[in-house]
Structures are given as structure tokens and as C-alpha cells.
Amino acid sequence: MIPAAARGTTTVSARAVARIAQQAATETPNAVGTVRGTATVRGQRAQVSVRLGLPWPADLGRRAGEVQRHVASRTGELTGLSVRVSRLRVARLHRPAGGTVVFDKATAPAAQGRRVPRRWWSARPTPVVVTALLGASAAGLLTADMVSVHLFDNAPAAWRTGLVDRLATTSPADGSVTVAAAAMAVAGLWLLLLACTPGLRKRHVVAGFGAGRSIALDRAAVASVVRDRVLDTDGVDSVRVRVGRRRVRVRAELAFGDRAAAREQAGAAAREALADCRLNRPLRVGLRLRTTSTWDPAPPGSEPAPPGPEPASAGGTVGEAELKESP
């Protein structure tokens, strides 16, 4: 009988691990929409990242944690590797009609004293690939010409001799040398900036997870949560939401009802929506409420109000309130 050590080894590719992780994520009732996954395999360990949609309203942290645990255990069971789901990116939120928010703080995951990243760090694949290709191309051309000259006694390439002659006759004070040095300095500073900054600005990290296992929401997902919650305000007809790095801008139109009360309710709804997302970096809310051209100060079904002065301008701005989240 052949010993186990002499039978060879079985290697599972990163692509296969990613496919298995995608399939494992679709097995959970929490994952909706298209699921994408990437994986890195080092020996008997694999690190997986998953991109998917989650149902909303719900406790996003709890549902995402369930997906992470199932993907890690199922992928490890099928591949025989030690699998860790380091990143789970929520790209979209799917809201069923007539849904209600279910947020149970008792089931919210705790960081357990671990440092939570303020933002995901980008791998910067594009500049790395471009820099590597340029360096490899230049080194390959020079190596091929050197091999041709020294091994096959061929004449040096015209581009190499011309470049050497030009460098030998060009003064350091020449304008072309200055431009080339400036371009290289700018490229170097750009690469240093990319190496020292995290990037991925359109993703907000959810609090409660450690640095090696985190969940992030896309800005579009956060905007959809805030938009749906503000639309539930009585009298609000339409809502536009823009999510930035530190601030959420809400623009709403009021069709009927008291303006001051609607503004207060819409601001509270936006704050509650952000609180349910439980972002690691709290966002400020800028709310602007406008009345529509058909705005009626009385809600539908109520008795008409006594005649009084008409509003200054239909569709005018009611006001803008800056609502700061407590850290």
C-alpha cells in the first residue's frame, strides 16, 4: 500500500473556493440578488470576500453575521480548508412591500475589545498592475537586447544606442530632463498617496466587528435605507438622498400636512435609519424640506382650515436643519 505522503497532494484553486463561497451564500435565506465572491488560498488556509444584497428592513449586522458564519463553515466543509470570511460587502438592500423594521439590540454582535477599521483598505490593483507591466516591459526589452548582443553577437538595438547617446549628450539642465524628472516625482508621490490612504470611500463599515472580519454598506444601500424611512413620514411625497463620507443630504417634498411637524418627523426618521445601520463612523444629516405646488396644509380627510394668508411661494424651501449624530 502506498503511504499517504507519497500519494501526492490535492490543491483547491482560489477560483474554486470563490465559487463554493458564492454558492454557500445563496443557501442562506438572508442573501438576495446576485452574489459575487473572491478568495485567496495560502496552503491550507483561505480568505474569502463576499458581495451580496440583504433583505431590508432587518437587523443588518445579525443577518450579515449569519451569512459570514455559514459561508465560512460550508466552504471549509466542502474544501477541507480553514476558511475565514474577512469581508462581506452589502451592495444592495431589498425591501419587501409592507415590511417593518426588526432590530434586536440583544442579538447585535459585539466587537469584544477588538479594533474596528474606520474604512476598508483598497488593494489598489489598477496602479499596481500598471506599474508592474511598465517595469516588466522595460526590463524585458533591455534583457532581450542584452542577450541578443552577448550570446548571438548581434548589433545593439537602435533604440538602446540612441537612448545612450542622447543621455550622454543631454545636459541635466535641459528642459526634457526637467519634465521627465517632474513626471517621475509626481508618479512617485501618487503611488505614496495610494499606499498611505485607505480608499474605498463609497463603503461605510458597520460597527461591531473586528479588523479581520468586517461588514460594509455601500453608499447606495445606506441611501435606500434613509430614503425608505423618510418616505414613511406623513405628507412626504418624494425623497432624494445623497450619502457622502461624513454627511447624508436629504431633500424631501411635502404634499400635505404641517411643515414644522413633517420636518421634525423626517429628521427623526433619517436619524433612526442611520442608527439601525450602526455605522462605525456616525454621519451627520442635512435635511431640506420643500412644499410641492399642490401642497395642502391640512391632511386628507380633515376639516378645512379657516381662510388665512397664503404661503409666500408654493414650492419654496421650508428650511434646512443640521442634525448631528451622537458619537
Side-chain angles (χ1 to χ4, degrees):
M1 184 175 181
I2 302 176
R7 299 175 192 171
T9 58
T10 301
T11 303
V12 183
S13 66
R15 184 177 180 181
V17 174
R19 291 289 184 88
I20 295 174
Q22 291 176 197
Q23 181 61 33
T26 59
E27 295 174 357
T28 64
N30 296 327
V32 292
T34 304
V35 179
R36 293 286 185 267
T38 59
T40 303
V41 179
R42 295 184 178 90
Q44 295 298 315
R45 297 182 179 182
Q47 186 168 323
V48 178
S49 299
V50 181
R51 175 183 179 273
L52 77 169
L54 289 179
W56 174 262
D59 180 359
L60 298 180
R62 178 177 60 82
R63 289 182 179 270
E66 293 174 356
V67 173
Q68 282 186 319
R69 288 189 294 271
H70 179 77
V71 170
S73 62
R74 184 61 172 166
T75 306
E77 176 185 352
L78 295 177
T79 61
L81 304 175
S82 176
V83 179
R84 185 185 68 170
V85 181
S86 60
R87 289 183 174 182
L88 192 146
R89 174 185 172 189
V90 182
R92 295 187 60 187
L93 296 176
H94 299 259
R95 176 176 180 175
T100 56
V101 176
V102 179
F103 182 73
D104 185 5
K105 294 184 178 180
T107 61
Q112 298 178 354
R114 296 172 296 178
R115 179 180 177 273
V116 181
R118 298 182 67 87
R119 194 189 304 164
W120 279 2
W121 279 74
S122 172
R124 312 289 191 184
T126 301
V128 170
V129 171
V130 171
T131 304
L133 287 178
L134 291 177
S137 300
L141 288 175
L142 181 60
T143 302
D145 187 59
M146 296 292 290
V147 170
S148 175
V149 171
H150 292 283
L151 294 184
F152 301 100
D153 295 329
N154 295 327
W159 64 267
R160 185 160 68 93
T161 57
L163 179 61
V164 172
D165 293 340
R166 184 173 181 180
L167 291 176
T169 58
T170 301
S171 171
D174 188 79
S176 59
V177 176
T178 303
V179 172
M184 294 179 63
V186 171
L189 291 176
W190 178 59
L191 293 175
L192 287 175
L193 179 65
L194 293 180
C196 297
T197 55
L200 301 180
R201 296 183 176 182
K202 295 186 177 181
R203 303 175 193 175
H204 293 278
V205 177
V206 178
F209 297 87
R213 176 175 170 267
S214 60
I215 297 173
L217 295 178
D218 281 6
R219 288 184 181 180
V222 177
S224 66
V225 173
V226 177
R227 183 185 306 109
D228 290 343
R229 195 70 67 84
V230 175
L231 276 175
D232 291 338
T233 304
D234 294 338
V236 172
D237 181 65
S238 63
V239 178
R240 292 180 299 172
V241 180
R242 293 183 59 184
V243 180
R245 293 177 57 189
R246 304 177 184 274
R247 186 179 180 185
V248 177
R249 292 178 174 84
V250 181
R251 302 292 182 265
E253 293 188 354
L254 185 66
F256 62 85
D258 182 71
R259 293 175 292 186
R263 183 172 58 184
E264 182 179 354
Q265 294 176 8
R271 292 195 306 270
E272 292 175 0
L274 291 176
D276 285 350
C277 291
R278 293 189 292 111
L279 303 180
N280 186 39
R281 174 179 291 181
L283 301 177
R284 295 179 298 173
V285 179
L287 173 64
R288 189 177 184 182
L289 186 66
R290 298 173 60 93
T291 57
T292 63
S293 58
T294 58
W295 171 69
D296 185 358
S302 62
E303 297 182 359
E310 296 183 356
S313 60
T317 302
V318 174
E320 182 170 354
E322 185 71 18
L323 305 173
K324 295 184 178 180
E325 290 291 321
S326 58

